[in-house]
Amino acid sequence: AQSVAQPEDQVNVAEGNPLTVKCTYSVSGNPYLFWYVQYPNRGLQFLLKYITGDNLVKGSYGFEAEFNKSQTSFHLKKPSALVSDSALYFCAVRDWGGSYIPTFGRGTSLIVHP
Amino acid sequence: SQTIHQWPATLVQPVGSPLSLECTVEGTSNPNLYWYRQAAGRGLQLLFYSVGIGQISSEVPQNLSASRPQDRQFILSSKKLLLSDSGFYLCALRSGNTIYFGEGSWLTVV
């Protein structure tokens, strides 16, 4: 079985400050982990993924995420937030040995204040 | 790279009317295709999953059906819409280990 949790419904951060959007997961085997961003009235856009290798993954728009196996976490980070980063962020997980159907979190709304 | 087209982008339909949402993909062959619904701007619900022509897996029993008449075409249908069918419908495809989404279709049932 696989599951993912995004413990924060909303994250508020000031422009220029670092941001973190949290994600924890549970899988039977090894995880594939993903982050997506959704702007209002748009589809989800793929940001980055962890499959194997370096625990720090870099993705689009200056975002990065750190895979932490001991804490079963995959938090999304950015060193300096922009107002344009304000959007809904989804974490997803899939078990290596499972079907090609990932489980998505409920989403975290990121609000970056000018 | 692959492209996902969804139409119509928005639709307002009365209760009891039929529905057809279309999804076509380009730049890939024999893709795994998915229909998701997103209600209230939040969580995603997987509705249907297809690994090939005529092969549909239904994840949630409901008022909707899906068909895959061609390799790159995936259709979401209903014979009689309910108010609860309102939402944002997203078509997606799998490329390698990653799922990519289309721009979605907004359905409002009135």
Side-chain angles (χ1 to χ4, degrees):
Chain A
Q2 59 192 33
S3 65
V4 63
Q6 294 182 244
E8 303 153 316
D9 279 346
Q10 185 171 303
V11 170
N12 292 276
V13 64
E15 187 174 30
N17 284 359
L19 70 88
T20 299
V21 182
K22 296 179 180 177
C23 172
T24 58
Y25 67 90
S26 175
V27 294
S28 302
N30 292 317
Y32 289 153
L33 293 156
F34 308 86
W35 276 103
Y36 292 83
V37 60
Q38 184 180 32
Y39 297 100
N41 301 315
R42 303 291 299 277
L44 277 69
Q45 296 180 32
F46 169 72
L47 275 179
L48 51 82
K49 65 183 175 184
Y50 171 82
I51 302 299
T52 187
D54 194 345
N55 289 344
L56 185 63
V57 178
K58 294 187 183 297
S60 306
Y61 311 121
F63 284 94
E64 58 189 27
E66 186 168 11
F67 171 63
N68 187 316
K69 188 173 184 177
S70 62
Q71 297 185 9
T72 61
S73 67
F74 190 56
H75 301 330
L76 182 69
K77 300 180 180 182
K78 187 174 182 181
S80 178
L82 300 172
V83 172
S84 57
D85 292 330
S86 298
L88 191 57
Y89 289 81
F90 289 93
C91 181
V93 67
R94 182 169 73 79
D95 197 325
W96 273 37
S99 69
Y100 286 105
I101 300 176
T103 297
F104 285 84
R106 286 184 46 79
T108 298
S109 178
L110 173 66
I111 300 175
V112 181
H113 302 277
Chain B
S1 63
Q2 63 275 354
T3 306
I4 304 171
H5 300 282
Q6 286 190 244
W7 72 91
T10 60
L11 193 60
V12 179
Q13 291 286 93
V15 169
S17 64
L19 171 73
S20 180
L21 298 179
E22 296 197 30
C23 171
T24 59
V25 301
E26 297 177 353
T28 182
S29 60
N30 196 30
N32 287 7
L33 297 175
Y34 310 76
W35 276 112
Y36 286 87
R37 177 169 58 199
Q38 185 179 28
R42 277 292 177 155
L44 296 170
Q45 179 185 35
L46 178 64
L47 302 176
F48 300 97
Y49 168 53
S50 172
V51 298
I53 296 174
Q55 300 179 66
I56 310 293
S57 296
S58 175
E59 295 295 314
V60 181
Q62 61 212 328
N63 186 44
L64 302 169
S65 62
S67 62
R68 187 164 175 181
Q70 301 180 43
D71 181 47
R72 301 174 191 177
Q73 185 182 28
F74 203 22
I75 299 171
L76 184 70
S77 304
S78 174
K79 292 182 179 179
K80 289 185 178 182
L81 284 168
L82 306 173
L83 286 174
S84 58
D85 291 324
S86 294
F88 191 43
Y89 288 83
L90 291 158
C91 179
L93 66 79
R94 181 179 66 82
S95 176
N97 292 311
T98 305
I99 288 182
Y100 297 92
F101 289 84
E103 286 299 316
S105 295
W106 274 106
L107 171 66
T108 303
V109 183
V110 296

